Amino acid sequence: MYCFVSEIQLYLLIMKDEQLFPLIQKAKEKDQKAQTKLINIFWVDVFSFVMKKVRDENDADEITVNVFSKVLSKLDMYDPHFQFKTWILTIAQNTIIDFWRRKSRENQDPT
């Protein structure tokens, strides 16, 4: 049985959080290449996490985009004492909660 792992996924498996710090710092400074690299590194993890919760590919894609928008806008709030992936998945979880609240309101609104 073969296991296909993308180059980015392999890079993430090898990479430690300390190695992410320079990339995170560049992303904080609005370096678009660094921001894109962060998104590419964590996209599959976030999308998979969201997909398990919402079970709709279109919704999962939209939520994942929102998550990374929030991540990039809140990079200054990241505490390096915690794992970066955990921080991103916490943002994802909160974004999913917001999504379900919005869906619930839309379903209750008779207009």
Side-chain angles (χ1 to χ4, degrees), residues 67-79:
V67 167
F68 283 106
S69 175
K70 291 177 184 181
V71 165
L72 294 177
S73 70
K74 297 180 182 198
L75 275 174
D76 287 335
M77 298 174 73
Y78 169 63
D79 181 351

Side-chain angles (χ1 to χ4, degrees), residues 53-55 95-105:
K53 305 285 185 174
V54 300
R55 297 175 189 240
T95 305
I96 292 165
I97 290 168
D98 293 342
F99 167 80
W100 285 119
R101 284 182 184 146
R102 190 174 65 247
K103 273 270 208 219
S104 177
R105 282 193 302 267

Side-chain angles (χ1 to χ4, degrees), residues 46 49-50 63 67 87-97:
V46 173
F49 178 80
V50 172
I63 292 168
V67 167
W87 183 71
I88 290 177
L89 292 180
T90 300
I91 292 172
Q93 180 62 44
N94 290 335
T95 305
I96 292 165
I97 290 168

